[in-house]
Amino acid sequence: MIRFEFAALAAAFCIALIPDTAHAGMSQSAYKAALDEIAAQHASDQAGCRADVDQAYADCMAEAKARAALSKAEVTAVYNPSARNQYDLALAKAESVYATALTACSSRAGNAKSKCRQDASDLRTRARTEAQSPSRSIDAKAPAAAAR
């Protein structure tokens, strides 16, 4: 069951690495408006977390923070599509996947929790490594797979 959850998270992360060019080009006013919207959504998410207690509160806040960071990185990458911003976006996606995985681990106990946390850490490490590689898109990997 744990392997399936991490396999699903890993697949979602790989799909998330595909660059989104549908919104290429954004004006400065649209960029600022998007950042304001992200800040408002983050405040709303944090307010929603206040109803939770203990570990559920911490998990909710971690997910809200990861969503806000990911949204900001996406908007920044669209506004200024530089290599650095694409790298920052890939790292934000990795951290978002990691935060979600840690949330899934919080309900476990003992060795299962330790193993879950280690798997989440390994997933984040792989994601960071992929973000650092110059050809991280699926299109760049397709010819290598076809040559086999």
Side-chain angles (χ1 to χ4, degrees):
M1 184 67 179
I2 293 173
R3 291 284 177 201
F4 175 73
E5 290 173 357
F6 284 107
L9 285 172
F13 176 75
C14 289
I15 291 170
L17 282 179
I18 299 171
D20 182 15
T21 57
H23 305 291
M26 178 185 279
S27 68
Q28 185 175 9
S29 61
Y31 173 69
K32 287 185 178 188
L35 290 180
D36 290 343
E37 184 178 328
I38 291 168
Q41 182 63 43
H42 182 60
S44 173
D45 289 348
Q46 286 181 325
C49 292
R50 290 190 184 103
D52 296 333
V53 293
D54 297 331
Q55 189 62 42
Y57 174 78
D59 292 345
C60 183
M61 291 297 281
E63 287 182 1
K65 182 179 178 182
R67 267 193 308 272
L70 178 59
S71 296
K72 184 178 178 189
E74 287 173 342
V75 169
T76 302
V78 170
Y79 176 66
N80 183 10
S82 67
R84 176 63 188 194
N85 286 336
Q86 291 300 321
Y87 173 74
D88 290 344
L89 174 59
L91 286 182
K93 287 178 181 179
E95 292 301 320
S96 178
V97 168
Y98 178 69
T100 303
L102 283 184
T103 301
C105 295
S106 67
S107 62
R108 295 185 173 87
N111 287 341
K113 187 172 190 173
S114 297
K115 177 72 172 131
C116 183
R117 286 179 173 269
Q118 182 61 45
D119 288 345
S121 179
D122 292 344
L123 182 64
R124 179 174 61 172
T125 301
R126 281 193 308 267
R128 285 181 173 177
T129 303
E130 287 181 22
Q132 291 173 350
S133 69
S135 59
R136 65 176 188 271
S137 70
I138 291 176
D139 293 336
K141 294 178 184 174
R148 291 183 190 170

